[in-house]
Amino acid sequence: MTSEKFTVEKVLSIQRWTDNLFSFTMTRPAHFKFSAGQFARIGIMVDGELIVRAYSLVSSPYDEVLEFFSIVVPDGAFTSRLQHLKVDDELYLEKIPYGFLTLARFQQPAPQDLWLLATGTGLAPFLSMLQDFDTWKNYQQIFLVYSVRTAAELAYVDKIQDIHASFGENTPDFHFIPVITRDSNAILHERLPVLIQNGQLEKIAGHAFNLETTHIMLCGNPQMVDDTKEALKQRGLVMNRRGVGNIAVENYW
Ligand code: FAD
């Protein structure tokens, strides 16, 4: 059964950000095509049983390897094992990608200002989108809002700057807005729904949400996703259905 649905891939590199956060790359089989924002299903074989979890792709659809950004849940069936991953280890990869958190889902309004709001590893699909040239071509303003608990958890900051330098050459209006919820000295440190309700997020961005122009994606912690969605609805934005509307979301658990 497994051999039909999965291929076996090799781990190529590992980067540890904190005790509970790491990234890894693996080989990409030629058949595995995906759109920025989609997720893969990755498996580990444990005592003859395959444990599988969803993982957003960090890499761009054009990269030669597949990159992922992972939490470590100490008692988690998958990540308590995945955290011990080494270069050359084998992982199972389901042959097809999944998911609808892609920019193609936004038909109306037409692309203009794009807000990408992540908590923790929910950053992953947005890194993929930001490495896709179409994203930079289609939007005039891009706001990447990345909420973590501590500054040490702000992974990929150098990469975000590199991406902006290489993809956003002709798009000066890119704003990277970190939020550090356990650091009261951070410029932004409240939860995302609060920052929307009190207007601080738009103030820092220098840009207001607009029913006629805004596309906004939320990814990560389901409580953040739900509360933020409600705060945005109160501002008049609507869920994207059948291509129409402002808000698209993905919950990680
Ligand atoms: P689980 O039994 O799966 O989860 C146990 C608990 O851990 C959850 O109830 C929740 O409280 C917490 N938890 C789970 N995932 C996270 C997380 N990412 N951050 C913080 N707390 C968490 N996880 C990633 O690390 N990176 C990804 O790119 C990613 N992409 C996902 C995409 C989709 C569409 C979905 C549905 C989930 C995604 N996840 C991602 C979550 C991932 O599938 C697993 O839940 C996670 O790897 C933990 O697996 P586990 O078996 O160790 O614990």
Side-chain angles (χ1 to χ4, degrees):
M1 192 280 275
T2 52
S3 57
E4 285 166 23
K5 285 179 76 179
F6 292 82
T7 54
V8 178
E9 304 302 328
K10 196 173 258 197
V11 175
L12 299 172
S13 68
I14 296 164
Q15 176 166 10
R16 301 200 185 270
W17 304 102
T18 67
D19 287 351
N20 294 322
L21 288 173
F22 66 102
S23 296
F24 58 97
T25 61
M26 65 159 91
T27 48
R28 175 179 183 172
H31 65 260
F32 191 84
K33 307 264 191 286
F34 65 95
S35 299
Q38 285 195 298
F39 64 92
R41 283 170 42 85
I42 302 175
I44 310 178
M45 192 63 81
V46 181
D47 300 332
E49 197 191 319
L50 196 58
I51 305 178
V52 180
R53 290 291 183 272
Y55 269 82
S56 299
L57 288 134
V58 168
S59 25
S60 97
Y62 310 104
D63 280 342
E64 284 178 10
V65 302
L66 300 178
E67 180 168 349
F68 301 95
F69 178 28
S70 185
I71 187 80
V72 177
V73 180
D75 302 326
F78 190 81
T79 54
S80 63
R81 293 174 169 95
L82 193 74
Q83 66 173 322
H84 302 299
L85 205 62
K86 298 186 300 298
V87 170
D88 287 341
D89 280 356
E90 291 182 339
L91 286 172
Y92 288 76
L93 173 74
E94 201 170 318
K95 288 178 182 170
I96 50 168
Y98 293 89
F100 301 101
L101 192 77
T102 60
L103 292 172
R105 66 175 291 152
F106 288 116
Q107 302 296 316
Q108 273 177 39
Q112 192 166 318
D113 53 299
L114 175 65
W115 293 75
L116 304 170
L117 272 56
T119 52
T121 53
L123 177 73
F126 301 149
L127 290 173
S128 184
M129 289 173 200
L130 290 172
Q131 293 175 90
D132 187 341
F133 188 71
D134 283 348
T135 308
W136 296 93
K137 201 175 67 185
N138 290 341
Y139 288 91
Q140 291 166 27
Q141 285 121 351
I142 302 176
F143 305 90
L144 175 64
V145 185
Y146 180 17
S147 176
V148 295
R149 292 172 307 175
T150 64
E153 293 174 356
L154 274 180
Y156 284 110
V157 171
D158 290 348
K159 185 166 183 122
I160 291 165
Q161 278 155 4
D162 288 351
I163 290 172
H164 181 214
S166 47
F167 286 82
E169 234 176 29
N170 303 316
T171 313
D173 220 352
F174 172 74
H175 298 255
F176 173 48
I177 306 175
V179 178
I180 307 175
T181 55
R182 292 191 184 168
D183 181 354
S184 55
N185 293 320
I187 296 175
L188 294 181
H189 55 262
E190 281 169 297
R191 294 180 65 241
L192 292 172
V194 174
L195 293 172
I196 291 168
Q197 279 154 358
N198 67 17
Q200 266 191 292
L201 187 57
E202 289 158 289
K203 193 173 169 204
I204 287 271
H207 193 83
F209 300 122
N210 182 335
L211 177 69
E212 305 299 329
T213 62
T214 295
H215 292 174
I216 184 159
M217 289 185 154
L218 317 176
C219 186
N221 179 321
Q223 195 63 58
M224 174 288 276
V225 168
D226 272 5
D227 295 348
T228 306
K229 204 166 69 181
E230 287 314 310
L232 292 168
K233 284 184 184 169
Q234 282 171 20
R235 294 295 312 277
L237 302 186
V238 297
M239 291 300 289
N240 184 278
R241 302 212 192 284
R242 296 197 189 88
V244 182
N246 315 96
I247 311 168
V249 306
E250 187 146 88
N251 287 318
Y252 270 5
W253 65 92

